[in-house]
Amino acid sequence: MTTKPDTAIVLAAGLGKRMRPITDAIPKPLVRIAGKTLLDWGLDSLAAAGVGKAVVNVHYLPDQIVAHVAARRAPRIVISDESDRLLDSAGGIVKALPELGQEPFYILNADTFWIDHGPLNLGRLAHAWDATKMDILLMLADLHQATGHCGSTDFLVAPDGALRRSKGDPAGLIYAGAAIIHPRLFKNVPAEPHSLNAYFDKAIAAGRLFGMPMHGHWITVGTPDAIPLAEDAVAGVLIGSQ
């Protein structure tokens, strides 16, 4: 029987340079879409999935994020402070491992979110997780269910869900900024700046990177002109679901 992860890390320490001038004054995770911060879109998804604790890493204008999450009741927030040095995605996870524990946990990017259609995608991700054959399980979106994505695809999915790099193949899917990962991948790894992408490739080489296509609509917000597109998408999806 699958046990849902009870812990998550939300990667919120980025500089948000592409979101300037908005991010001259606030950190990117506090940019609001349809009245809700990007950070809260992610944290609300975790709360809905029953996650008890979320680690939020901070670096740029960290006091604003700390103050913002102080009012949240669920999930319980733990701050991982990277004010002294930005550690990138994997380095930030390694630093937070003492709070994340020894069991598989969710990873969420703080600049993407989604609107579920049907059963919660994080619950579906937990149901699909199999630690005996997976080190990482990614939530994936196709190009037609994405707003704000201006790049190509990331992964091709085998019939059993195993992933390989798509190298831009239009038949591929996009990494949708949410995953389950096993902490064994980071054993004896120092908390130095490095990217999670290297672990995707390591898992591919071992045949242990898998993916699950999401249900619903995925939204990424990279630049100021992506904000109205994101708000239109939220309004359109919510109206369409009524």
Side-chain angles (χ1 to χ4, degrees):
M1 181 177 178
T2 301
T3 301
K4 291 183 179 180
D6 187 53
T7 307
I9 182 167
V10 182
L11 300 174
L15 298 174
K17 292 181 179 179
R18 293 172 59 229
M19 191 60 80
R20 290 176 177 166
I22 295 172
T23 49
D24 288 341
I26 61 171
K28 186 176 179 181
L30 298 188
V31 170
R32 290 183 180 272
I33 302 296
K36 184 190 296 190
T37 68
L38 289 168
L39 181 57
D40 283 320
W41 278 104
L43 291 172
D44 286 351
S45 292
L46 292 171
V51 172
K53 177 170 74 171
V55 178
V56 177
N57 68 341
V58 296
H59 172 78
Y60 177 64
L61 300 176
D63 293 346
Q64 291 188 36
I65 294 177
V66 172
H68 180 80
V69 299
R72 287 197 67 100
R73 296 190 176 186
R76 181 170 68 87
I77 305 297
V78 175
I79 297 295
S80 181
D81 191 350
E82 297 176 25
S83 297
D84 292 340
R85 182 170 62 153
L86 187 60
L87 293 172
D88 205 341
S89 51
I93 292 168
V94 173
K95 178 179 171 62
L97 282 176
E99 290 289 348
L100 293 167
Q102 301 300 311
E103 298 300 320
F105 54 87
Y106 290 112
I107 299 170
L108 265 63
N109 290 344
D111 58 354
T112 67
F113 67 98
W114 64 92
I115 298 174
D116 294 299
H117 180 70
L120 300 179
N121 282 296
L122 290 183
R124 294 180 59 241
L125 203 64
H127 184 73
W129 170 258
D130 182 351
T132 64
K133 68 177 185 179
M134 302 174 184
D135 286 331
I136 310 172
L137 176 63
L138 304 182
M139 190 174 83
L140 304 171
D142 68 39
L143 292 170
H144 301 293
Q145 65 189 142
T147 292
H149 181 75
C150 55
S152 57
T153 64
D154 299 312
F155 297 101
L156 290 170
V157 188
D160 66 351
L163 301 183
R164 59 187 174 92
R165 295 284 184 179
S166 67
K167 300 178 181 177
D169 188 325
L173 298 178
I174 309 159
Y175 170 44
I180 295 174
I181 194 165
H182 201 292
R184 62 186 167 220
L185 273 181
F186 304 105
K187 186 177 181 180
N188 299 323
V189 175
E192 296 292 328
H194 65 297
S195 172
L196 195 56
N197 251 315
Y199 294 85
F200 294 170
D201 290 331
K202 180 180 178 180
I204 288 172
R208 297 183 64 84
L209 182 71
F210 284 74
M212 182 209 75
M214 66 168 291
H215 294 166
H217 197 85
W218 179 69
I219 299 168
T220 179
V221 185
T223 57
D225 58 5
I227 293 174
L229 296 176
E231 295 192 324
D232 287 347
V234 170
V237 172
L238 293 180
I239 290 171
S241 66
Q242 292 176 355

